[in-house]
Amino acid sequence: MNRTYELMFIVRPDMADEDLDKLISNLESTVTSASGAVKSVERMGKRRLAYMVRKFREGVYILLTVEGAGSVVHELERRLRVTEPVIKFLTVRIDEEQKRLEKIKKLRESRKKMSAQPAAGADEAPLTPAAETTATA
Amino acid sequence: MTEENKAPSPVMDRPPRPAGEGGRPGGDRPRFGAGAGRSGPGGPPREGARKFFRRKKVCKFCTEKIADINYKDYRLLGQFVAESGKIVPRRLTGVCSPHQHRLAVAIKQARNIALLPFAGRVQ
């Protein structure tokens, strides 16, 4: 059962860059060893936290997109919990949402085509495209 | 003035209604009709009684076609969070029900990862 998850975590702001690199590569290896795949790693940089977390007012945000079964996430979360410099993390399943967004995108594109085509061609169509353009506009 | 004159009469008429229900419900109805006429379309009669005209609120996500309500987009979410950190009810913002649901979920996720405050402003 392959699912896509988004794992966002915050590390303490005073962490050295090399340590962070090491941490990320560690996490990546845990994902691959748990038969998952890392799709992307995004460093969102240092940001002020909305509230104090473990006496820190700011933190470095990292976004990890992972594909795999739930066991991958389980293992990743366990690691993050144990890792001391990680002050907060959040896992969100995103595949369903992505599917939904793609569906909406497709629908919108097909509507665009529908409203563009009959206007150029058929003569019995003019009623419907007119109604559609007003609906989409 | 007309409202004051009309308002007491249905209240006085109400008690005998169970006994003779033939004409009385019909007597109630004109009051509602008059109310709708006063306010015009788009507002309940109670608001129409006031002087100012209230604009019909529309869902931001429907009009701007924002399909993705994501917890990472804290700037967007911040528009629907009150000064105190509370989620603003949709009767105030005009967001439609399905979007408000997604919005609430996203705001809660954003709070969890310290992008939005649980309470109060971002310091």
Side-chain angles (χ1 to χ4, degrees), chain B residues 18-65:
Chain B
E21 61 220 274
R24 292 301 93 183
D28 251 1
R29 212 158 282 157
R31 193 173 146 241
F32 283 95
R38 242 186 294 130
S39 73
R46 212 184 282 160
E47 282 182 8
R50 285 185 206 143
K51 286 281 158 59
F52 59 88
F53 172 72
R54 187 160 291 165
R55 201 168 64 100
K56 181 104 170 69
K57 286 175 218 140
V58 284
C59 176
K60 182 190 171 80
F61 301 99
C62 289
T63 51
E64 294 183 21
K65 292 193 177 173

Side-chain angles (χ1 to χ4, degrees), chain A residues 6-10 44 47-53 57 61 63 88-92 94 97 100-101 104 108 135-137, chain B residues 61-62 64-72 74 99 102 108-123:
Chain A
E6 213 172 54
L7 202 78
M8 192 186 251
F9 61 96
I10 312 172
M44 300 168 78
R47 198 189 167 269
R48 208 171 177 77
L49 302 176
Y51 49 89
M52 212 142 66
V53 183
R57 288 215 167 274
Y61 280 74
L63 186 71
K88 228 166 187 349
F89 61 87
L90 175 81
T91 317
V92 178
I94 54 167
E97 182 71 9
R100 196 181 68 87
L101 288 176
I104 291 174
R108 277 184 189 167
T136 48
Chain B
F61 301 99
C62 289
E64 294 183 21
K65 292 193 177 173
I66 306 169
D68 184 21
I69 305 181
N70 202 307
Y71 68 98
K72 281 170 283 180
Y74 58 90
H99 280 134
R102 288 177 193 291
K108 284 166 189 176
Q109 283 170 340
R111 279 176 181 168
N112 206 329
I113 199 72
L115 289 172
L116 287 179
F118 279 102
R121 263 303 82 189
V122 180
Q123 298 92 354

Side-chain angles (χ1 to χ4, degrees), chain A residues 64-77:
Chain A
L64 204 67
T65 315
V66 173
E67 210 176 71
S71 56
V72 177
V73 175
H74 191 78
E75 177 61 19
L76 265 179
E77 288 201 339

